[in-house]
């Protein structure tokens, strides 16, 4: 990108080059984990299957799904129940109109967990095949940093209910001091009304 400036003393236009940091293109689970651990934004170039939970810790990145999917396929409960775990004041923006999925028979029952962190979803499909939760937000262990998940668009589907309730957007209702929340500005939801959520006791309007 060329940035143009104007020199009043000489009345001449000068140009300088400005580096633009682009997301790193990834096509495998190993590359996805390596690049994110290095603190870089990523752009998917292929569908990716994860064999364990992906943790995004204390960094600000964009996850550009680029029309592709990330699917959790592990069946060992020791590898985590959440597909992507966002912690320690990390900030993740999801773009690219792809998908986050739990594989049939996998142990993944939640797609995005924000623990003292922030997530912004601008597009995509988010589907849990065998679980009643989809997105989860709570404060950090010390109770000092709340989480926010902002949904601007996308499709959200949890296949299963628990006692007739779908926990598509789920907060930690056990901690009354936790001020974590969801901000829903758009999107489509399967058997779930974000303006009258019953997932956290009573009726909550996100």
């Amino acid at each position: 990108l060329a940035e143009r400036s104007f020199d009043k003393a000489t009345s001449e236009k000068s140009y300088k080059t400005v580096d633009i940091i682009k997301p790193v293109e990834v096509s495998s689970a190993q590359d996805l984990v390596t690049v994110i651990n290095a603190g870089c934004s990523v752009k998917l170039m292929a569908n990716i299957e994860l064999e364990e939970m992906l943790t995004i810790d204390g960094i600000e990145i964009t996850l550009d799904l680029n029309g592709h999917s990330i699917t959790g396929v592990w069946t060992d409960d020791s590898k985590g129940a959440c597909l992507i775990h966002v912690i320690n004041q990390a900030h993740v923006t999801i773009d690219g109109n792809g998908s986050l999925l739990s594989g049939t028979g996998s142990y993944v029952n939640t797609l995005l967990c924000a623990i003292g962190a922030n997530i912004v979803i601008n597009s995509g499909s988010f589907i849990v095949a065998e679980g009643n939760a989809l997105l989860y937000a709570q404060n950090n262990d010390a109770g000092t940093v709340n989480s926010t998940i902002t949904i601007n668009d996308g499709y959200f589907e949890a296949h299963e209910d628990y006692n007739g309730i779908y926990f598509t957007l789920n907060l930690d209702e056990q901690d009354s001091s936790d001020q974590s929340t969801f901000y829903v500005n758009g999107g489509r939801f399967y058997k779930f009304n974000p303006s009258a959520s019953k997932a956290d006791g009573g009726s909550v309007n996100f």
Side-chain angles (χ1 to χ4, degrees):
L1 174 67
E3 182 182 87
R4 185 171 66 184
S5 60
F6 188 76
D7 189 331
K8 292 182 179 179
T10 63
S11 296
E12 293 180 354
K13 295 173 183 176
S14 60
Y15 294 84
K16 61 182 179 179
T17 300
V18 179
D19 292 331
I20 298 175
I21 300 175
K22 295 182 178 179
V24 179
E25 296 179 351
V26 298
S27 300
S28 69
Q30 181 178 352
D31 287 347
L32 175 66
V33 173
T34 299
V35 170
I36 286 178
N37 285 344
C40 298
S41 295
V42 296
K43 181 178 182 179
L44 266 60
M45 304 306 292
N47 297 333
I48 291 176
E49 292 187 346
L50 291 178
E51 298 284 351
E52 61 183 349
M53 182 172 68
L54 171 63
T55 297
I56 301 176
D57 186 350
I59 58 176
E60 181 174 350
I61 66 166
T62 295
L63 174 57
D64 182 353
L65 297 174
N66 190 32
H68 297 291
S69 63
I70 299 175
T71 304
V73 298
W74 65 90
T75 57
D76 182 349
D77 62 0
S78 68
K79 294 185 177 181
C82 187
L83 180 66
I84 300 178
H85 195 218
V86 185
I87 62 174
N88 290 335
Q89 300 184 63
H91 185 103
V92 177
T93 300
I94 299 176
D95 286 319
N97 203 29
S99 302
L100 297 185
L101 308 167
S102 68
T104 302
S106 76
Y107 191 74
V108 179
N109 59 35
T110 308
L111 295 179
L112 291 166
C113 301
I115 313 297
N118 300 292
I119 300 172
V120 176
I121 299 172
N122 291 325
S123 63
S125 296
F126 303 81
I127 301 173
V128 170
E130 298 179 18
N132 54 56
L134 197 71
L135 310 180
Y136 179 79
Q138 74 167 66
N139 59 13
N140 61 347
D141 290 341
T144 56
V145 181
N146 296 312
S147 293
T148 62
I149 298 180
T150 301
I151 299 172
N152 293 319
D153 203 356
Y155 175 73
F156 304 87
E157 178 178 341
H159 279 199
E160 298 180 359
D161 67 283
Y162 179 74
N163 291 335
I165 297 174
Y166 288 85
F167 288 75
T168 306
L169 308 182
N170 191 14
L171 298 171
D172 181 10
E173 72 276 13
Q174 303 301 320
D175 184 356
S176 59
S177 67
D178 191 342
Q179 298 301 304
S180 299
T181 193
F182 295 89
Y183 296 104
V184 180
N185 302 316
R188 295 169 294 131
F189 297 82
Y190 174 80
K191 293 186 177 181
F192 181 84
N193 182 358
S195 66
S197 169
K198 296 179 173 57
D200 300 290
S203 182
V204 180
N205 183 0
F206 295 124

Coordinates of all heavy atoms in Angstrom, one line a residue, residues 100-177:
L100 N -17.6 -23.8 12.2 CA -17.1 -24.5 13.4 C -18.0 -25.7 13.7 O -19.2 -25.4 13.9 CB -16.9 -23.6 14.6 CG -15.9 -22.4 14.4 CD1 -15.7 -21.7 15.7 CD2 -14.6 -22.9 13.9
L101 N -17.5 -26.9 13.8 CA -18.4 -28.1 14.0 C -17.8 -29.0 15.0 O -16.6 -29.1 15.2 CB -18.5 -28.8 12.6 CG -18.9 -28.0 11.4 CD1 -18.6 -28.8 10.1 CD2 -20.3 -27.5 11.5
S102 N -18.7 -29.8 15.6 CA -18.3 -31.0 16.4 C -18.6 -32.2 15.5 O -19.7 -32.3 15.0 CB -19.1 -31.0 17.7 OG -20.4 -31.3 17.5
G103 N -17.6 -33.1 15.4 CA -17.8 -34.3 14.6 C -18.8 -35.3 15.3 O -18.9 -35.3 16.5
T104 N -19.5 -36.0 14.5 CA -20.4 -37.0 15.0 C -19.6 -38.0 15.9 O -18.6 -38.6 15.4 CB -21.1 -37.8 13.9 OG1 -21.9 -36.8 13.1 CG2 -22.1 -38.8 14.5
G105 N -20.1 -38.2 17.1 CA -19.4 -39.2 18.0 C -18.2 -38.6 18.8 O -17.6 -39.2 19.6
S106 N -17.9 -37.3 18.5 CA -16.8 -36.7 19.2 C -17.2 -36.2 20.6 O -18.4 -36.2 21.0 CB -16.3 -35.5 18.4 OG -17.2 -34.4 18.6
Y107 N -16.2 -35.9 21.4 CA -16.4 -35.4 22.8 C -16.7 -33.9 22.8 O -17.1 -33.4 23.9 CB -15.2 -35.8 23.7 CG -15.5 -35.6 25.2 CD1 -16.3 -36.5 25.9 CD2 -15.0 -34.5 25.9 CE1 -16.6 -36.4 27.2 CE2 -15.3 -34.3 27.2 CZ -16.1 -35.3 27.9 OH -16.4 -35.1 29.2
V108 N -16.6 -33.3 21.7 CA -16.8 -31.8 21.7 C -18.3 -31.5 21.9 O -19.2 -31.9 21.2 CB -16.4 -31.2 20.4 CG1 -16.6 -29.7 20.3 CG2 -14.9 -31.5 20.1
N109 N -18.6 -30.8 23.0 CA -20.0 -30.4 23.2 C -20.2 -28.9 23.3 O -21.3 -28.4 23.4 CB -20.6 -31.0 24.5 CG -19.8 -30.7 25.7 OD1 -19.3 -29.5 25.9 ND2 -19.7 -31.6 26.7
T110 N -19.1 -28.1 23.1 CA -19.2 -26.7 23.1 C -18.2 -26.2 22.0 O -17.1 -26.7 22.0 CB -18.9 -26.0 24.4 OG1 -19.7 -26.6 25.4 CG2 -19.1 -24.5 24.4
L111 N -18.5 -25.2 21.2 CA -17.6 -24.8 20.1 C -16.7 -23.7 20.6 O -15.5 -23.7 20.2 CB -18.4 -24.3 18.9 CG -19.3 -25.4 18.2 CD1 -20.0 -24.8 17.1 CD2 -18.4 -26.6 17.8
L112 N -17.2 -22.7 21.3 CA -16.3 -21.6 21.7 C -16.6 -21.3 23.2 O -17.7 -21.1 23.6 CB -16.7 -20.3 20.9 CG -16.4 -20.3 19.4 CD1 -17.1 -19.1 18.7 CD2 -14.9 -20.1 19.2
C113 N -15.5 -21.3 23.9 CA -15.5 -21.0 25.3 C -14.7 -19.7 25.6 O -13.5 -19.7 25.3 CB -15.0 -22.1 26.2 SG -15.8 -23.7 25.9
A114 N -15.3 -18.7 26.1 CA -14.5 -17.4 26.4 C -14.4 -17.4 28.0 O -15.4 -17.3 28.7 CB -15.3 -16.2 25.9
I115 N -13.2 -17.4 28.5 CA -12.9 -17.4 29.9 C -12.1 -16.1 30.2 O -10.9 -16.1 29.9 CB -12.2 -18.6 30.4 CG1 -12.9 -19.9 29.9 CG2 -12.1 -18.6 31.9 CD1 -14.3 -20.1 30.3
G116 N -12.7 -15.0 30.6 CA -12.0 -13.8 30.8 C -11.5 -13.3 29.4 O -10.3 -12.8 29.3
A117 N -12.3 -13.3 28.4 CA -11.8 -13.0 27.0 C -13.0 -12.5 26.2 O -14.1 -12.5 26.7 CB -11.2 -14.3 26.4
N118 N -12.7 -12.1 25.0 CA -13.7 -11.5 24.1 C -13.7 -12.2 22.7 O -12.6 -12.5 22.1 CB -13.4 -10.0 23.9 CG -13.5 -9.3 25.2 OD1 -14.5 -9.1 25.8 ND2 -12.3 -8.8 25.6
I119 N -14.9 -12.5 22.2 CA -15.0 -13.1 20.9 C -16.0 -12.3 20.1 O -17.1 -11.9 20.6 CB -15.5 -14.5 21.0 CG1 -14.5 -15.4 21.8 CG2 -15.7 -15.1 19.6 CD1 -15.0 -16.8 22.1
V120 N -15.7 -12.0 18.8 CA -16.6 -11.3 17.9 C -16.9 -12.2 16.7 O -15.9 -12.6 16.1 CB -16.1 -9.9 17.4 CG1 -17.1 -9.3 16.4 CG2 -15.9 -9.0 18.6
I121 N -18.1 -12.5 16.5 CA -18.5 -13.4 15.3 C -19.2 -12.6 14.3 O -20.3 -12.1 14.5 CB -19.4 -14.6 15.8 CG1 -18.7 -15.4 16.9 CG2 -19.9 -15.4 14.7 CD1 -19.6 -16.4 17.6
N122 N -18.6 -12.5 13.1 CA -19.2 -11.7 12.0 C -19.9 -12.6 11.0 O -20.7 -12.0 10.2 CB -18.1 -10.9 11.3 CG -17.6 -9.8 12.2 OD1 -18.4 -9.2 13.0 ND2 -16.3 -9.5 12.2
S123 N -19.6 -13.9 10.9 CA -20.3 -14.7 10.0 C -19.9 -16.2 10.3 O -19.0 -16.5 11.1 CB -19.8 -14.4 8.5 OG -18.4 -14.6 8.4
G124 N -20.6 -17.1 9.6 CA -20.2 -18.5 9.7 C -21.4 -19.4 10.3 O -22.4 -18.8 10.7
S125 N -21.2 -20.7 10.2 CA -22.1 -21.7 10.8 C -21.5 -22.3 11.9 O -20.3 -22.8 11.8 CB -22.6 -22.7 9.7 OG -23.3 -22.1 8.6
F126 N -22.2 -22.5 13.0 CA -21.7 -23.0 14.3 C -22.7 -24.1 14.7 O -23.8 -23.8 15.2 CB -21.5 -21.9 15.3 CG -20.7 -20.8 14.8 CD1 -21.2 -19.8 14.0 CD2 -19.3 -20.7 15.2 CE1 -20.4 -18.8 13.5 CE2 -18.5 -19.7 14.7 CZ -19.1 -18.7 13.9
I127 N -22.2 -25.4 14.6 CA -23.2 -26.5 14.8 C -22.5 -27.6 15.7 O -21.4 -28.1 15.4 CB -23.6 -27.1 13.4 CG1 -24.2 -26.1 12.5 CG2 -24.5 -28.3 13.6 CD1 -24.5 -26.5 11.1
V128 N -23.2 -27.9 16.8 CA -22.8 -29.0 17.6 C -23.7 -30.2 17.4 O -25.0 -30.1 17.5 CB -22.9 -28.6 19.1 CG1 -22.8 -29.8 20.0 CG2 -21.9 -27.6 19.5
A129 N -23.2 -31.3 16.9 CA -24.0 -32.5 16.5 C -24.5 -33.2 17.7 O -25.7 -33.7 17.7 CB -23.1 -33.4 15.7
E130 N -23.7 -33.3 18.8 CA -24.2 -34.1 20.0 C -23.9 -33.3 21.3 O -23.0 -33.7 22.1 CB -23.5 -35.5 20.0 CG -23.8 -36.3 18.7 CD -23.1 -37.6 18.7 OE1 -22.6 -38.0 19.8 OE2 -23.0 -38.2 17.7
G131 N -24.6 -32.3 21.5 CA -24.4 -31.5 22.7 C -25.5 -30.5 22.8 O -26.2 -30.1 21.8
N132 N -25.8 -29.9 24.0 CA -26.8 -29.0 24.2 C -26.3 -27.5 24.4 O -27.0 -26.6 24.5 CB -27.7 -29.3 25.3 CG -26.9 -29.6 26.6 OD1 -26.2 -28.7 27.1 ND2 -27.1 -30.8 27.2
A133 N -25.0 -27.4 24.4 CA -24.3 -26.1 24.5 C -23.6 -25.7 23.2 O -23.3 -26.6 22.4 CB -23.4 -26.1 25.6
L134 N -23.4 -24.5 22.9 CA -22.8 -24.0 21.7 C -21.7 -23.0 22.0 O -20.5 -23.2 21.7 CB -23.8 -23.5 20.7 CG -23.4 -23.3 19.3 CD1 -23.3 -24.7 18.7 CD2 -24.4 -22.5 18.5
L135 N -22.1 -21.9 22.6 CA -21.1 -20.9 23.0 C -21.2 -20.6 24.5 O -22.3 -20.6 25.0 CB -21.4 -19.5 22.3 CG -21.6 -19.6 20.7 CD1 -21.9 -18.2 20.2 CD2 -20.4 -20.2 20.0
Y136 N -20.1 -20.5 25.1 CA -20.0 -20.4 26.6 C -19.2 -19.2 27.0 O -18.1 -19.0 26.5 CB -19.5 -21.7 27.2 CG -19.4 -21.6 28.7 CD1 -20.5 -21.8 29.5 CD2 -18.2 -21.4 29.4 CE1 -20.5 -21.8 30.9 CE2 -18.1 -21.4 30.8 CZ -19.2 -21.6 31.5 OH -19.2 -21.6 32.9
A137 N -19.6 -18.4 28.0 CA -18.8 -17.3 28.4 C -18.9 -17.2 30.0 O -19.9 -17.3 30.6 CB -19.4 -16.0 27.9
Q138 N -17.7 -17.0 30.6 CA -17.6 -16.8 32.0 C -16.4 -15.9 32.3 O -15.5 -15.7 31.5 CB -17.6 -18.1 32.8 CG -16.2 -18.8 32.7 CD -16.1 -19.9 33.8 OE1 -16.9 -20.9 33.7 NE2 -15.2 -19.7 34.7
N139 N -16.3 -15.4 33.6 CA -15.2 -14.6 33.9 C -14.0 -15.5 34.2 O -14.1 -16.7 34.2 CB -15.5 -13.7 35.1 CG -15.9 -14.4 36.4 OD1 -15.8 -15.7 36.4 ND2 -16.5 -13.7 37.3
N140 N -12.8 -14.9 34.4 CA -11.6 -15.7 34.7 C -11.7 -16.3 36.1 O -12.5 -16.0 36.9 CB -10.3 -14.9 34.5 CG -10.3 -13.7 35.4 OD1 -11.3 -13.3 36.1 ND2 -9.1 -13.0 35.5
D141 N -10.7 -17.2 36.4 CA -10.7 -17.9 37.7 C -10.7 -16.9 38.8 O -11.2 -17.2 39.9 CB -9.6 -18.9 37.7 CG -9.7 -20.0 36.8 OD1 -10.9 -20.3 36.3 OD2 -8.7 -20.7 36.4
A142 N -10.0 -15.8 38.7 CA -9.9 -14.8 39.8 C -11.1 -14.0 39.9 O -11.3 -13.3 40.9 CB -8.6 -14.0 39.6
G143 N -12.0 -14.1 38.9 CA -13.2 -13.3 39.0 C -13.0 -11.8 38.7 O -13.9 -11.0 39.0
T144 N -11.9 -11.5 38.0 CA -11.6 -10.1 37.8 C -11.8 -9.6 36.4 O -11.9 -8.4 36.1 CB -10.1 -9.8 38.2 OG1 -9.3 -10.7 37.4 CG2 -9.8 -10.0 39.6
V145 N -12.0 -10.5 35.4 CA -12.1 -10.2 34.0 C -13.3 -10.9 33.5 O -13.4 -12.2 33.4 CB -10.9 -10.5 33.2 CG1 -11.1 -10.1 31.7 CG2 -9.6 -9.8 33.7
N146 N -14.4 -10.2 33.1 CA -15.5 -10.8 32.5 C -15.3 -11.0 31.0 O -14.4 -10.5 30.4 CB -16.8 -9.9 32.6 CG -17.1 -9.7 34.1 OD1 -17.2 -10.6 34.8 ND2 -17.3 -8.4 34.5
S147 N -16.2 -11.9 30.4 CA -16.1 -12.2 29.0 C -17.3 -11.6 28.2 O -18.4 -11.4 28.8 CB -16.1 -13.7 28.8 OG -14.9 -14.3 29.3
T148 N -17.1 -11.3 27.0 CA -18.1 -10.9 26.1 C -18.0 -11.7 24.8 O -16.9 -11.9 24.3 CB -18.1 -9.4 25.7 OG1 -16.9 -9.1 25.0 CG2 -18.3 -8.6 27.0
I149 N -19.2 -12.2 24.3 CA -19.2 -12.8 22.9 C -20.2 -11.9 22.2 O -21.4 -11.9 22.5 CB -19.6 -14.2 23.0 CG1 -18.5 -15.0 23.8 CG2 -19.8 -14.8 21.6 CD1 -18.9 -16.5 23.8
T150 N -19.8 -11.3 21.1 CA -20.6 -10.5 20.3 C -21.0 -11.2 19.0 O -20.0 -11.6 18.3 CB -19.9 -9.1 20.0 OG1 -19.7 -8.4 21.2 CG2 -20.9 -8.2 19.1
I151 N -22.2 -11.3 18.7 CA -22.7 -12.0 17.5 C -23.3 -11.0 16.5 O -24.3 -10.4 16.8 CB -23.7 -13.1 17.8 CG1 -23.0 -14.2 18.7 CG2 -24.2 -13.8 16.5 CD1 -24.0 -15.2 19.3
N152 N -22.6 -10.8 15.4 CA -23.2 -9.9 14.4 C -23.9 -10.6 13.3 O -24.8 -10.0 12.7 CB -22.0 -9.0 13.8 CG -21.4 -8.1 14.8 OD1 -22.1 -7.5 15.6 ND2 -20.1 -8.0 14.8
D153 N -23.6 -11.8 13.0 CA -24.3 -12.6 12.0 C -23.8 -14.1 12.2 O -22.9 -14.4 12.9 CB -24.0 -12.1 10.6 CG -25.1 -12.5 9.6 OD1 -26.0 -13.2 10.0 OD2 -25.0 -12.1 8.4
G154 N -24.5 -15.0 11.5 CA -24.1 -16.4 11.5 C -25.3 -17.3 11.8 O -26.4 -16.8 12.0
Y155 N -25.1 -18.6 11.7 CA -26.1 -19.6 12.0 C -25.6 -20.4 13.2 O -24.5 -20.9 13.2 CB -26.4 -20.4 10.8 CG -27.4 -21.6 11.1 CD1 -28.7 -21.3 11.2 CD2 -26.9 -22.9 11.2 CE1 -29.6 -22.3 11.5 CE2 -27.8 -23.9 11.4 CZ -29.1 -23.6 11.6 OH -30.0 -24.6 11.9
F156 N -26.5 -20.7 14.2 CA -26.1 -21.3 15.4 C -27.1 -22.4 15.7 O -28.3 -22.2 15.9 CB -26.1 -20.3 16.5 CG -25.2 -19.1 16.2 CD1 -25.6 -18.0 15.5 CD2 -23.8 -19.2 16.6 CE1 -24.8 -17.0 15.2 CE2 -23.0 -18.1 16.3 CZ -23.5 -17.0 15.6
E157 N -26.6 -23.7 15.9 CA -27.4 -24.8 16.1 C -26.8 -25.8 17.0 O -25.7 -26.4 16.8 CB -27.7 -25.5 14.7 CG -28.6 -26.7 14.9 CD -28.9 -27.4 13.5 OE1 -28.7 -26.7 12.5 OE2 -29.2 -28.6 13.5
A158 N -27.5 -26.0 18.2 CA -27.2 -27.1 19.1 C -28.2 -28.2 18.9 O -29.4 -27.9 19.0 CB -27.1 -26.7 20.5
H159 N -27.9 -29.4 18.5 CA -28.8 -30.4 18.1 C -29.7 -30.9 19.3 O -30.8 -31.3 19.2 CB -28.1 -31.6 17.5 CG -27.8 -31.4 16.1 ND1 -27.5 -32.4 15.2 CD2 -27.7 -30.3 15.3 CE1 -27.2 -32.0 14.0 NE2 -27.3 -30.7 14.1
E160 N -29.1 -31.0 20.5 CA -29.7 -31.6 21.7 C -30.2 -30.6 22.7 O -29.6 -29.5 22.8 CB -28.8 -32.6 22.3 CG -28.4 -33.7 21.4 CD -27.4 -34.7 22.1 OE1 -27.1 -34.5 23.3 OE2 -27.0 -35.7 21.4
D161 N -31.2 -30.9 23.4 CA -31.7 -30.1 24.5 C -31.4 -30.8 25.8 O -31.1 -32.0 25.9 CB -33.2 -29.8 24.4 CG -34.0 -31.1 24.6 OD1 -34.1 -31.9 23.6 OD2 -34.6 -31.2 25.6
Y162 N -31.5 -30.0 26.9 CA -31.4 -30.6 28.3 C -32.6 -30.2 29.0 O -32.9 -29.0 29.3 CB -30.1 -30.1 29.0 CG -30.0 -30.6 30.4 CD1 -29.6 -31.9 30.6 CD2 -30.3 -29.8 31.5 CE1 -29.5 -32.4 31.9 CE2 -30.1 -30.3 32.8 CZ -29.7 -31.6 33.0 OH -29.6 -32.1 34.3
N163 N -33.5 -31.2 29.3 CA -34.8 -30.9 30.0 C -35.6 -29.9 29.2 O -36.2 -29.0 29.8 CB -34.6 -30.4 31.4 CG -34.1 -31.5 32.3 OD1 -34.3 -32.7 32.0 ND2 -33.4 -31.2 33.4
G164 N -35.5 -30.0 27.9 CA -36.3 -29.1 27.0 C -35.7 -27.8 26.7 O -36.3 -26.9 26.1
I165 N -34.5 -27.5 27.2 CA -33.8 -26.2 27.1 C -32.6 -26.4 26.2 O -31.8 -27.3 26.4 CB -33.4 -25.6 28.4 CG1 -34.7 -25.3 29.2 CG2 -32.6 -24.3 28.2 CD1 -34.4 -24.8 30.7
Y166 N -32.4 -25.5 25.2 CA -31.2 -25.5 24.4 C -30.2 -24.4 25.0 O -30.6 -23.3 25.2 CB -31.5 -25.1 23.0 CG -32.2 -26.3 22.3 CD1 -33.6 -26.4 22.4 CD2 -31.5 -27.2 21.5 CE1 -34.3 -27.5 21.7 CE2 -32.2 -28.3 20.9 CZ -33.5 -28.4 21.0 OH -34.2 -29.4 20.4
F167 N -29.0 -24.8 25.3 CA -28.0 -24.0 25.9 C -27.1 -23.4 24.8 O -25.9 -23.4 24.8 CB -27.2 -24.7 26.9 CG -27.9 -25.0 28.2 CD1 -28.9 -26.0 28.2 CD2 -27.7 -24.3 29.3 CE1 -29.6 -26.3 29.3 CE2 -28.4 -24.6 30.5 CZ -29.3 -25.6 30.5
T168 N -27.7 -22.8 23.7 CA -27.0 -22.3 22.6 C -26.1 -21.2 23.0 O -24.9 -21.2 22.6 CB -28.0 -21.8 21.5 OG1 -28.9 -22.9 21.2 CG2 -27.3 -21.4 20.3
L169 N -26.6 -20.3 23.8 CA -25.7 -19.2 24.5 C -25.8 -19.5 26.0 O -26.8 -19.4 26.6 CB -26.2 -17.8 24.1 CG -26.5 -17.5 22.6 CD1 -26.9 -16.1 22.5 CD2 -25.2 -17.8 21.8
N170 N -24.6 -19.8 26.5 CA -24.6 -20.3 27.9 C -23.7 -19.5 28.8 O -22.5 -19.3 28.4 CB -24.2 -21.8 27.9 CG -24.4 -22.5 29.2 OD1 -25.1 -22.0 30.1 ND2 -23.8 -23.6 29.3
L171 N -24.2 -19.0 29.9 CA -23.4 -18.3 30.9 C -23.2 -19.2 32.2 O -23.9 -20.2 32.3 CB -24.0 -17.0 31.3 CG -24.2 -15.9 30.2 CD1 -25.1 -14.8 30.7 CD2 -22.9 -15.4 29.7
D172 N -22.3 -18.7 33.1 CA -22.1 -19.4 34.3 C -23.1 -18.9 35.3 O -22.8 -17.9 36.0 CB -20.7 -19.2 34.8 CG -20.4 -20.0 36.1 OD1 -21.3 -20.8 36.5 OD2 -19.4 -19.7 36.7
E173 N -24.3 -19.5 35.4 CA -25.4 -19.0 36.2 C -25.1 -19.3 37.7 O -25.8 -18.8 38.6 CB -26.7 -19.6 35.8 CG -26.9 -21.1 36.2 CD -26.3 -22.0 35.1 OE1 -25.6 -21.6 34.3 OE2 -26.7 -23.2 35.2
Q174 N -24.1 -20.1 38.0 CA -23.8 -20.4 39.4 C -23.1 -19.2 40.1 O -23.0 -19.2 41.4 CB -22.9 -21.6 39.5 CG -23.5 -22.9 38.8 CD -24.8 -23.2 39.4 OE1 -25.0 -23.2 40.6 NE2 -25.8 -23.6 38.6
D175 N -22.5 -18.3 39.4 CA -21.7 -17.2 40.0 C -22.4 -15.9 39.7 O -22.4 -15.3 38.6 CB -20.3 -17.1 39.3 CG -19.4 -16.1 40.0 OD1 -19.9 -15.3 40.8 OD2 -18.2 -16.0 39.6
S176 N -23.1 -15.4 40.8 CA -23.9 -14.1 40.7 C -23.0 -12.9 40.4 O -23.5 -11.9 39.9 CB -24.7 -13.9 41.9 OG -23.9 -13.8 43.1
S177 N -21.7 -13.0 40.7 CA -20.8 -11.8 40.5 C -20.3 -11.8 39.0 O -19.7 -10.8 38.6 CB -19.6 -11.9 41.4 OG -18.8 -13.0 41.2

